[in-house]
Amino acid sequence: MKKTELKTLEAKACEIRKRTIDEIGFLGVGHIGGALSVVEVLTLLYYKYMEVSPDSPGKKDRDRLVLSKGHAGPALYSVLADRGFFPQEWLHTLNRGGTRLPSHCDMNRTPGIDMTTGSLGQGLSAAVGMALGNRLDGIDRYVYLIVGDGESHEGQIWEGAMAAAHYRLNRLIAFTDNNRMGIDGYTSETMNIEDIAAKWSAFGWYVQRVDGHDFEAMEAAVDLARKELRRPSMIVLDTIKGKGAFFAEGDTGNHNMQVDYGTALEACRRLSTIEQ
């Protein structure tokens, strides 16, 4: 990755992070922890890899993203608004009456959302179906999937993992947001999923593990995954829940928390200072 491209992606991720904090802070409550831990991977996918268009969001021949951890929707909304799928003013309607931006992703309400999610564990099954459908229709596009580490406690995740490997869905590239926290605290205490990379490998996937906030590392991993021709890919992203929000980062209560708007604006100001 060229230095200019890296700087552009880092600046865009900072912008998306600030917009997401502002979005949730304006509402006063939200899933800020898990939204902020996926900012970099969403930025990389939507600004470097994914073939999508706000002018034709339902185009059949397109790349798709399934955000299985649907509570991270606010981060995805920030990206989609920036890409022009809907007006940025919508962001301040998050989870309010009549909004088209519910707290969890809804493909019937939000332009650019490829799959309704929120019932944890189901996103992988949907992504498997999409990848199989593309193969049957002769569509040579990618299905990208983001699952949570806490979500990986669900049995349906591993049923989907078996199916994807069985059908050799090499156009399915998944990411685990391994931020080590769930709604009930640290995943190591509620239900330890390590060694998560070894688990996916045992299920027949091509597996890599990288820093989920490092663009160069993620780019290298995605490039290798796109070259894999025989099996689906899982890229385990080691991330920080609440990344970049001083009031949420490292707080085990940051899954869904009250956010004072003044505090949110201060967090955005601090991020702007760091960026400069």
Side-chain angles (χ1 to χ4, degrees):
M1 181 181 292
K2 295 181 179 179
K3 287 186 178 180
T4 53
E5 183 181 19
L6 175 60
K7 291 295 184 182
T8 298
L9 287 172
E10 288 177 339
K12 180 58 66 177
C14 188
E15 180 184 339
I16 296 301
R17 177 165 278 110
K18 288 187 291 185
R19 189 168 292 152
T20 303
I21 294 171
D22 178 89
E23 178 186 2
I24 295 173
F26 190 81
L27 176 64
V29 63
H31 295 92
I32 196 161
L36 296 182
S37 58
V38 296
V39 166
E40 278 76 15
V41 66
L42 288 173
T43 301
L44 182 70
L45 292 176
Y46 276 91
Y47 295 91
K48 180 176 177 64
Y49 287 104
M50 290 182 64
E51 292 289 339
V52 294
S53 171
D55 296 325
S56 53
K59 181 183 177 184
K60 191 172 183 180
D61 182 15
R62 71 183 191 277
D63 290 324
R64 288 172 166 82
L65 174 82
V66 178
L67 184 61
S68 189
K69 44 172 288 176
H71 54 280
L76 181 52
Y77 299 155
S78 296
V79 171
L80 293 175
D82 188 70
R83 285 293 311 268
F85 281 87
F86 51 81
Q88 294 190 15
E89 290 76 18
W90 285 18
L91 296 177
H92 278 185
T93 73
L94 175 69
N95 209 28
R96 296 178 183 273
T99 186
R100 296 187 67 180
L101 304 182
S103 65
H104 294 65
C105 297
D106 187 333
M107 64 188 294
N108 295 313
R109 299 172 71 179
T110 311
I113 296 295
D114 293 314
M115 187 64 208
T116 300
T117 54
S119 185
L120 297 178
Q122 294 184 357
L124 176 52
S125 297
V128 168
M130 289 177 178
L132 274 173
N134 281 348
R135 177 182 291 173
L136 291 171
D137 290 339
I139 297 174
D140 191 25
R141 291 296 186 189
Y142 286 92
V143 177
Y144 296 97
L145 165 75
I146 301 175
V147 301
D149 51 355
E151 178 184 14
S152 299
H153 296 161
E154 298 284 348
Q156 189 170 350
I157 289 289
W158 304 103
E159 292 178 77
M162 283 192 292
H166 175 79
Y167 290 110
R168 299 182 180 274
L169 300 178
N170 64 298
R171 286 293 189 269
L172 173 58
I173 299 178
F175 303 85
T176 295
D177 178 27
N178 191 39
N179 59 41
R180 297 178 177 80
M181 292 183 190
I183 192 169
D184 294 317
Y186 293 105
T187 53
S188 60
E189 297 173 355
T190 57
M191 183 62 68
N192 194 354
I193 61 172
E194 294 291 359
D195 184 342
I196 189 170
K199 286 180 172 65
W200 283 97
S201 181
F203 272 77
W205 289 52
Y206 173 51
V207 182
Q208 302 172 77
R209 188 167 189 166
V210 300
D211 182 340
H213 303 299
D214 184 327
F215 279 110
E216 291 180 307
M218 287 191 293
E219 178 197 44
V222 172
D223 286 346
L224 286 174
R226 287 164 65 98
K227 293 176 182 177
E228 174 57 48
L229 302 178
R230 300 177 296 107
R231 51 189 170 167
S233 290
M234 169 56 73
I235 302 173
V236 178
L237 303 176
D238 289 314
T239 61
I240 298 172
K241 197 167 185 177
K243 173 73 172 179
F246 71 91
F247 59 88
E249 188 173 318
D251 187 334
T252 55
N254 67 15
H255 184 82
N256 185 32
M257 67 189 308
Q258 299 287 327
V259 181
D260 175 74
Y261 192 42
T263 303
L265 292 177
E266 172 61 17
C268 293
R269 187 195 67 78
R270 294 189 187 187
L271 286 170
S272 296
T273 301
I274 294 173
E275 186 181 17
Q276 293 171 358

